[in-house]
Amino acid sequence: MHNPEGGDISFKLSDAAPLGAAPRRKDLRGYLAANGDVVTRVTRAVRIDDTGALSAQSEYPVLFENIVEHPGFRLCDMLVRNREMQARALGVPRADYLKTLAYRLRLPPRGLVDVASGPVKEVKWIGDAADLTKLPVPRHKERDEHPYLTPMIIVRDPETGFYNTSHAGTTVVGQRKGLASFVTAHTRRIIAKYREMGAARMPIVYAAGIPPAYEIMGNFSGLHMDMWGELEMVGTIMDQDVEMAPCETIELRVPANAEMAIEGWIDLEKTGRTGAVTSPSMYYLPRFEDVPELNVTAITMRADRPIYRNHQTCPATDHQVLPRLCHEAVLYNRLREMGLDVKDVRFPTWGAALSCIVQFDYPCEGFVNDALMMAMGAPWMNTKLVVAVSPDTNVEDAAEVYHAIATRVDPARDIFIVPKTRGSAYDPSAAPLEGAYPSRTVGKMGIDATIKARHNKADFERAWPVNWGKVFLKDYL
Ligand SMILES: [Mn+2]
């Protein structure tokens, strides 16, 4: 319903998705078993260096059970690459996925349940026994000299005690040493808080092999630090308690049902230089980083073939998708606040984490440009190119979106450009900012590829062959 005041009068109780519509599992191996119909199990021997290239060819979860250099370990990847798997992560039907995540993100945090121990404690490598190089951690791109560790990380805000999560790609440079790249503003703020308190080190734990809902929430970014940490919201979005067990060597807790936990501390006084980042735009950008050193103090894991969760970062993988799933839900809520009937919001893998597609019905002229400006002005630097489409465009098909741009846009009227906005460090077309490496500036573009009031709607009826979708070539071979 259109609200001339601009407020959210269209919300009704029926929009609240039912909680727990499908079975959920509290651990990754249970999740993979419950979704066995779409998981590719590779039982033949695979070399660790080949797992990235092989994983990236899979649209659905893939599990390597026989890794030549790491017997006794398994590796999985591609858990949330498409809407079907994202919906299964929340335990809801695919059609309910986005509105469910958007709704649950507005609920209060469920919190955490403390337990004394859990499966992640079945094997303990303490002190010198801890060895990152024994874990099945692959190199991610051709030019990488070292393995690249990618699980979710947990740090505690020393002021509030809340558990903030993110992914900090960590270059493994020794048996107990890494160089950790903290890309998110909150982790950097928390590091600054430890420094302001005079601390020389910050405790950290990597949780590898957790249900994908943890990772979806783990990548949230918004105003939350004074209210809760992402980990306290994981149970909210997966509608299930999250059990936390004490770490062995540091004053932190770790998800008790994880496959592996890597404990240690970040040296706040020492940094090391790493090579090129594997950017979600799929380039070697930024070219280098000076990042803090990770010192590992313990590794704990399950006894039976623990599963390392890799996030292969290139080419088109979970890496483009995962950090933007909460962005989509936040934008969905904001478009709903404008009174729009939102069908979908997507950061497509093929948009290099720089482009967003918004899909909705709107009652009259004016809405589309407001929606485009809202998305272009998002807090994150992933909305350089925003395209609005009508509900009849298939947003999962790049060709369909391109076709809508080609046939529904008058460039002089339906595209607007804003110069000199914050650019992504991963965008080679953005201009480097002097003295602020790796920051850049760039413009933004909004494209209205919807069917508009000035158009004749009937002109957009697509022509299809006789019996399209009813007869299939394979039946004639
Ligand atoms: Mn945060």
Side-chain angles (χ1 to χ4, degrees):
M1 189 192 316
H2 172 46
N3 172 13
E5 302 297 319
D8 184 17
I9 60 161
S10 59
F11 182 78
K12 22 183 215 307
L13 276 177
S14 61
D15 288 326
L19 293 175
R24 290 141 294 131
R25 294 294 186 278
K26 65 180 178 181
D27 57 11
L28 178 62
R29 55 185 62 200
Y31 179 81
L32 293 173
N35 292 283
D37 58 323
V38 289
V39 175
T40 298
R41 285 179 56 213
V42 181
T43 54
R44 285 175 62 175
V46 172
R47 287 177 304 156
I48 187 70
D49 260 352
D50 291 335
T51 55
L54 294 173
S55 302
Q57 294 169 47
S58 181
E59 181 65 26
Y60 286 91
V62 58
L63 180 65
F64 296 97
E65 302 193 339
N66 184 356
I67 302 161
V68 174
E69 298 88 341
H70 302 277
F73 287 95
R74 293 180 285 176
L75 179 151
C76 82
D77 203 338
M78 305 302 154
L79 296 183
V80 291
R81 197 164 162 181
N82 56 59
R83 271 289 191 259
E84 173 65 23
M85 295 316 298
Q86 293 154 19
R88 291 188 188 204
L90 298 192
V92 298
R94 182 187 165 120
D96 291 341
Y97 163 76
L98 185 56
K99 74 173 183 178
T100 301
L101 182 59
Y103 176 75
R104 291 181 183 175
L105 285 179
R106 293 189 284 111
L107 293 175
R110 183 173 176 129
L112 302 165
V113 176
D114 285 348
V115 295
S117 190
V120 73
K121 302 290 184 179
E122 287 167 1
V123 173
K124 296 177 184 179
W125 297 349
I126 309 289
D128 287 339
D131 187 349
L132 290 172
T133 65
K134 285 188 181 156
L135 305 180
V137 183
R139 296 186 300 148
H140 276 226
K141 52 193 189 299
E142 286 177 320
R143 287 196 220 149
D144 281 356
E145 288 169 18
H146 302 284
Y148 193 62
L149 194 63
T150 50
M152 188 179 86
I153 62 149
I154 301 169
V155 296
R156 190 173 50 193
D157 186 323
E159 203 175 14
T160 64
F162 298 146
Y163 278 178
N164 200 89
T165 58
S166 63
H167 287 256
T170 300
T171 305
V172 176
V173 293
Q175 294 182 347
R176 294 172 58 196
K177 273 217 188 312
L179 294 168
S181 168
F182 298 104
V183 291
T184 65
H186 289 172
T187 317
R188 288 182 171 174
R189 176 76 197 111
I190 288 168
I191 288 173
K193 285 187 184 189
Y194 278 96
R195 282 207 180 102
E196 284 159 19
M197 290 167 55
R201 46 171 71 175
M202 172 181 76
I204 186 169
V205 60
Y206 292 64
I210 42 185
Y214 281 69
E215 299 178 336
I216 293 175
M217 190 64 221
N219 279 274
F220 179 81
S221 91
L223 279 183
H224 72 86
M225 278 183 77
D226 52 351
M227 295 279 185
W228 40 261
E230 286 86 358
L231 207 58
E232 285 108 25
M233 279 291 284
V234 168
T236 315
I237 73 153
M238 69 189 293
D239 187 32
Q240 186 170 290
D241 281 342
V242 168
E243 297 174 349
M244 300 288 288
C247 288
E248 302 301 310
T249 56
I250 51 171
E251 290 288 312
L252 282 183
R253 286 178 174 270
V254 65
N257 295 296
E259 294 283 330
M260 299 177 186
I262 301 165
E263 306 177 10
W265 43 271
I266 295 296
D267 191 325
L268 299 177
E269 287 161 354
K270 246 196 227 161
T271 59
R273 180 160 290 196
T274 64
V277 168
T278 316
S279 69
S281 56
M282 309 178 200
Y283 295 113
Y284 283 93
L285 287 177
R287 291 253 186 266
F288 67 88
E289 276 189 308
D290 291 319
V291 301
E293 206 175 83
L294 164 74
N295 294 272
V296 173
T297 51
I299 298 175
T300 70
M301 67 191 84
R302 288 169 180 254
D304 173 33
R305 296 170 302 148
I307 303 170
Y308 174 72
R309 187 334 186 188
N310 187 47
H311 296 78
Q312 175 58 31
T313 45
C314 65
T317 63
D318 280 0
H319 190 211
Q320 285 76 34
V321 178
L322 183 62
R324 276 146 288 273
L325 294 178
C326 284
H327 298 1
E328 291 172 354
V330 168
L331 288 176
Y332 175 91
N333 281 333
R334 291 188 184 164
L335 292 167
R336 286 280 317 280
E337 283 170 340
M338 292 171 60
L340 289 169
D341 180 9
V342 187
K343 306 295 182 195
D344 213 341
V345 179
R346 292 292 183 97
F347 288 84
T349 311
W350 28 272
L354 296 170
S355 178
C356 179
I357 302 166
V358 291
Q359 181 182 49
F360 49 77
D361 259 337
Y362 57 101
C364 60
E365 229 172 304
F367 274 87
V368 179
N369 279 359
D370 272 340
L372 290 171
M373 283 196 292
M374 198 276 290
M376 290 159 74
W380 333 284
M381 282 170 253
N382 305 128
T383 58
K384 177 173 102 167
L385 165 61
V386 185
V387 184
V389 298
S390 291
D392 66 325
T393 297
N394 177 4
V395 296
E396 300 203 329
D397 185 343
E400 281 260 332
V401 175
Y402 196 102
H403 182 264
I405 294 171
T407 60
R408 299 173 178 193
V409 174
D410 175 348
R413 304 167 80 171
D414 303 322
I415 294 178
F416 67 95
I417 291 169
V418 179
K420 208 172 162 185
T421 62
R422 295 166 303 151
S424 164
Y426 311 129
D427 178 2
S429 71
L433 255 177
E434 191 95 27
Y437 179 89
S439 299
R440 294 171 182 249
T441 58
V442 75
K444 285 184 179 150
M445 176 159 62
I447 301 178
D448 176 356
T450 65
I451 299 171
K452 290 165 265 294
R454 67 170 192 268
H455 293 144
N456 181 349
K457 252 192 162 112
D459 289 349
F460 294 99
E461 191 191 342
R462 290 282 293 271
W464 301 107
V466 176
N467 284 331
W468 183 247
K470 291 180 189 150
V471 291
F472 301 97
L473 184 58
K474 66 176 167 51
D475 296 334
Y476 290 81
L477 301 178

